[in-house]
């Protein structure tokens, strides 16, 4: 039986616990033994993006020491996976811990990449025919490069038609600390994104990033729109178990 570490992310443990449980279920149904470290913490992206590099390195080394065995570290977020697989390496250049951090970073893989490329999952879609659209998280798109795998998983569902956004690669305005520092700009950006979603005519928006979903879905609810934001791993599990969204 293959063993993996599962890194739940701050947002997952604080606000999206059901999505985390569903992500783990997707792994266990494939026969994977999931090891969950209960004392895991932040990936350090918020502090890194805010320029607190010394503090970010301390967090990174904590994670390196925590996930000590040589198992893949599966992350259900392109943002956190990108931070740990790529930005850690940048952070530790010319540092005495570089080789150890680099070895750690090579074990990081986003969940959709693991399901798509490593496990090559085969899903039986038990849901009714449905049309959905997809939002690409910036870090997943440009750093972790996990979007292709995420969309591949959706395309394996025979009763799901994926309608591409016209401006799929445009930021939704969340950007972690950006939404806090520049709320007016963030709000304008998310409303532009929502207009693009409305133009598809679909009732469901799928994304693999919790932050983007909270931002987009929360704004759509405030606007009273009949469009629901659904996390990728919630969506996949419900489709293959025949549950309603």
């Amino acid at each position: 039986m293959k063993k993996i570490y599962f890194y739940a992310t701050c947002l997952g443990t604080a606000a999206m616990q059901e999505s985390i449980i569903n992500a783990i279920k997707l792994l266990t149904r494939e026969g994977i033994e999931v090891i969950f470290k209960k004392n895991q913490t932040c990936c350090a992206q918020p502090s890194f993006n805010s320029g607190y590099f010394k503090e970010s390195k301390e967090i990174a080394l904590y994670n390196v020491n925590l996930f000590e065995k040589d198992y893949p570290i599966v992350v259900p977020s392109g943002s956190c996976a990108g931070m740990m697989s790529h930005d850690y390496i940048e952070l530790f250049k010319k540092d005495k811990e570089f080789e150890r951090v680099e070895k750690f970073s090579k074990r990081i893989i986003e969940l959709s990449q693991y399901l798509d490329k490593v496990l090559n999952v085969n899903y039986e879609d038990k849901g009714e025919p449905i049309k959905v659209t997809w939002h690409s998280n910036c870090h997943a798109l440009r750093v972790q490069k996990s979007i292709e795998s995420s969309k591949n998983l959706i395309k394996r569902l025979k009763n799901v038609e994926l309608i591409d956004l016209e401006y799929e690669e445009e930021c939704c305005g969340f950007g972690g600390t950006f939404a806090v520092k520049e709320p007016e700009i963030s709000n304008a950006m998310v409303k532009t994104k929502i207009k693009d979603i409305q133009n598809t005519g679909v009732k469901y928006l799928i994304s693999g990033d919790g932050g983007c979903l909270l931002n987009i879905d929360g704004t759509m609810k405030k606007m009273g729109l009949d469009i629901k934001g659904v996390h990728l791993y919630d969506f996949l599990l419900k489709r293959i178990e025949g549950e309603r969204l």
Side-chain angles (χ1 to χ4, degrees), residues 5-7 67 71-75 84 104 107-110:
Y5 285 122
F6 188 86
Y7 183 81
F67 299 99
Y71 303 141
I73 304 166
V74 179
V75 186
M84 299 167 83
F104 169 86
R107 290 193 285 134
I108 300 292
I109 185 168
E110 203 275 329

Side-chain angles (χ1 to χ4, degrees), residues 6 27 29-30 36 44 60 66 74 78-79 95 99 104 112-113 117 125 134 156 168 186 201-202 207 210 219 222 232:
F6 188 86
L27 288 163
R29 73 184 300 276
E30 301 300 328
F36 189 97
L66 182 66
V74 179
S79 290
D95 189 283
E99 287 188 13
F104 169 86
S112 69
Q113 294 174 312
K117 296 183 178 180
D125 186 2
W134 166 266
R156 293 185 190 196
E168 180 187 318
S186 174
V202 304
S207 181
T219 305
K222 288 178 183 178
L232 173 64

Side-chain angles (χ1 to χ4, degrees), residues 64-102:
V64 171
N65 292 327
L66 182 66
F67 299 99
E68 75 283 7
K69 294 186 178 179
D70 194 26
Y71 303 141
I73 304 166
V74 179
V75 186
S77 163
S79 290
C80 301
M83 175 68 197
M84 299 167 83
S85 65
H86 293 79
D87 295 334
Y88 275 18
I89 293 174
E90 291 297 316
L91 192 59
F92 279 87
K93 277 187 175 179
K94 299 181 181 179
D95 189 283
K96 64 180 181 180
E97 296 283 5
F98 177 78
E99 287 188 13
R100 196 157 71 99
V101 171
E102 183 182 38

Side-chain angles (χ1 to χ4, degrees), residues 41-63 83 88 91-92:
T41 188
C42 182
C43 70
Q45 188 179 75
S47 57
F48 177 72
N49 289 345
S50 298
Y52 293 96
F53 302 132
K54 178 179 178 292
E55 292 82 357
S56 299
K57 290 173 80 171
E58 292 174 1
I59 297 169
L61 287 176
Y62 174 87
N63 288 324
M83 175 68 197
Y88 275 18
L91 192 59
F92 279 87

Side-chain angles (χ1 to χ4, degrees), residues 2-9 20 23-24 26-27 32-36 40 67 71-78 80-81 84 104-116 118-119 144 233:
K2 292 182 179 179
K3 295 182 180 182
I4 63 99
Y5 285 122
F6 188 86
Y7 183 81
T9 81
I20 294 304
I24 292 172
L26 288 170
L27 288 163
I32 302 299
E33 181 179 337
V34 177
I35 302 169
F36 189 97
Q40 57 182 273
F67 299 99
Y71 303 141
I73 304 166
V74 179
V75 186
S77 163
C80 301
M84 299 167 83
F104 169 86
S105 293
K106 287 180 178 179
R107 290 193 285 134
I108 300 292
I109 185 168
E110 203 275 329
L111 177 54
S112 69
Q113 294 174 312
Y114 191 75
L115 294 171
D116 177 40
V118 178
L119 300 182
Q144 185 60 22
Y233 303 117

